């Protein structure tokens, strides 16, 4: 499914540089659209699938003229690749203001999120500001039959988010940077429920009907609904929100 162009809102990411891992498809693509619509430059990370990534970049450049859109191929399950991608983004854009971690399976979900965040937070502490937003899943909160590895990786992101949020404040204080003034350096996570992406496109209709029946609002979520929350957390005005887990799941965990 192709993400639709997003309408800008009043939150400020104007001129910020955002790296979105897994940013060329699904929820990651919608997040790139959201941030670009709000004024950010976009660095989209991906792993393999160069042709589809280039098509994504062409679409973004056409829909958001004037925004700088770059592609960065790398395996974020590898610490060395994470640092290489981060340095590549900083070299091409001059800095990194926003990191959005989004990807799949345990080696990438947890280790990748840690590797990317670890590399990014050092740069952000030097600058004194930044946003780190990890995309987890409702499965990390509720669990699910046959998804032990996926649930473990996603719930692990909760602890990582809260720890990094505290670490960021500690390191800023240690570096004699103002912690409570201005934009700040925040770390948060968003937990989507069942979202209408390619991941669900192969599930039989009868199974999807059962999934919808479990959701209080009786429908699947849209990638743009996740992206809207990420855009809110990425904005300068969200400086008082850190170490939090934001559920966007149609009430599934009530």
């Amino acid at each position: 499914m192709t993400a639709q162009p997003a309408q800008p809102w009043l939150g400020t990411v104007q001129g910020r540089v955002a790296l979105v891992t897994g940013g060329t498809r699904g929820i990651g693509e919608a997040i790139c659209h959201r941030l670009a619509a709000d004024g950010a430059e976009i660095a989209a990370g991906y792993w393999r699938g160069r042709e589809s990534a280039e098509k994504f970049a062409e679409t973004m450049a056409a829909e958001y003229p004037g925004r700088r859109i770059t592609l960065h191929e790398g395996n974020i399950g590898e610490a060395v690749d994470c640092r290489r991608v981060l340095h590549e983004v900083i070299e091409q854009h001059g800095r990194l203001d926003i990191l959005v971690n989004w990807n799949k399976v345990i080696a990438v979900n947890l280790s990748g999120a840690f590797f990317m965040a670890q590399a990014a937070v050092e740069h952000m502490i030097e600058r004194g500001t930044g946003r780190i937003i990890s995309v987890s899943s409702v499965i990390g909160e509720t669990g699910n039959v046959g998804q032990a590895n996926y649930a473990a990786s996603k719930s692990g992101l909760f602890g990582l988010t809260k720890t990094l949020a505290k670490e960021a404040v500690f390191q800023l204080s240690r570096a004699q940077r103002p912690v409570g003034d201005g934009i700040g350096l925040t770390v948060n996570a968003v937990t989507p429920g069942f979202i209408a992406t390619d991941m669900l496109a192969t599930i039989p209709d009868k199974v999807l009907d059962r999934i919808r029946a479990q959701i209080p609002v009786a429908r699947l979520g849209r990638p743009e609904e996740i992206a809207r929350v990420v855009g809110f957390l990425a904005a300068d005005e969200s400086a008082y929100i850190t170490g939090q887990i934001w559920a966007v799941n149609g009430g599934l965990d009530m």
Side-chain angles (χ1 to χ4, degrees):
M1 297 182 181
T2 302
Q4 299 300 311
Q7 297 301 312
W9 74 297
L10 296 178
T12 304
V13 294
Q14 187 72 37
R16 304 294 182 204
V17 177
L19 168 59
V20 182
T21 67
T24 62
R25 57 187 298 181
I27 294 175
E29 180 183 2
I31 290 169
C32 286
H33 276 276
R34 172 78 272 160
L35 295 175
D38 290 344
E41 295 184 12
I42 302 297
Y46 73 100
W47 175 234
R48 298 173 180 161
R50 178 77 188 182
E51 186 176 339
S52 61
E54 288 177 344
K55 185 177 179 180
F56 157 85
E58 290 172 6
T59 300
M60 289 286 292
E63 291 179 2
Y64 308 102
R67 301 278 186 274
R68 187 168 188 196
I69 312 295
T70 58
L71 295 173
H72 305 272
E73 184 174 13
N75 178 6
I76 70 164
E78 299 290 337
V80 172
D81 241 14
C82 288
R83 290 196 171 273
R84 178 189 59 76
V85 166
L86 188 83
H87 291 155
E88 188 176 284
V89 171
I90 294 170
E91 186 176 86
Q92 293 185 25
H93 290 266
R95 67 183 192 280
L96 176 65
D97 302 297
I98 302 163
L99 169 65
V100 182
N101 275 317
W102 166 260
N103 236 302
K104 305 173 187 174
V105 299
I106 194 161
V108 175
N109 270 335
L110 198 50
S111 298
F114 172 73
F115 294 147
M116 287 303 301
Q118 184 184 47
V121 79
E122 294 173 7
H123 173 73
M124 291 176 180
I125 286 169
E126 288 178 8
R127 291 178 51 79
T129 63
R131 298 283 184 267
I132 296 176
I133 304 162
S134 294
V135 180
S136 187
S137 169
V138 69
I139 300 303
E141 298 176 275
T142 63
N144 200 31
V145 175
Q147 290 189 294
N149 62 336
Y150 183 78
S153 68
K154 288 303 190 182
S155 61
L157 279 174
F158 302 159
L160 177 62
T161 296
K162 291 182 179 294
T163 299
L164 281 175
K166 290 184 176 181
E167 183 75 16
V169 171
F170 173 76
Q171 293 293 348
L172 281 176
S173 299
R174 191 175 182 183
Q176 297 184 330
R177 297 278 188 174
V179 174
D181 297 333
I183 298 167
L185 200 175
T186 67
V187 185
N188 292 287
V190 177
T191 60
F194 291 98
I195 308 300
T197 64
D198 291 343
M199 245 177 125
L200 292 186
T202 57
I203 296 179
D205 288 342
K206 287 185 178 179
V207 177
L208 283 177
D209 288 341
R210 287 199 296 270
I211 289 173
R212 289 188 189 95
Q214 298 172 26
I215 303 170
V217 301
R219 68 171 175 84
L220 301 178
R222 295 184 291 272
E224 293 78 15
E225 292 175 305
I226 308 305
R228 192 175 300 119
V229 176
V230 171
F232 168 74
L233 292 172
D236 291 358
E237 292 84 350
S238 298
Y240 200 57
I241 305 168
T242 193
Q244 302 306 304
I245 314 300
W246 287 64
V248 189
N249 56 40
L252 190 60
D253 60 345
M254 290 195 295

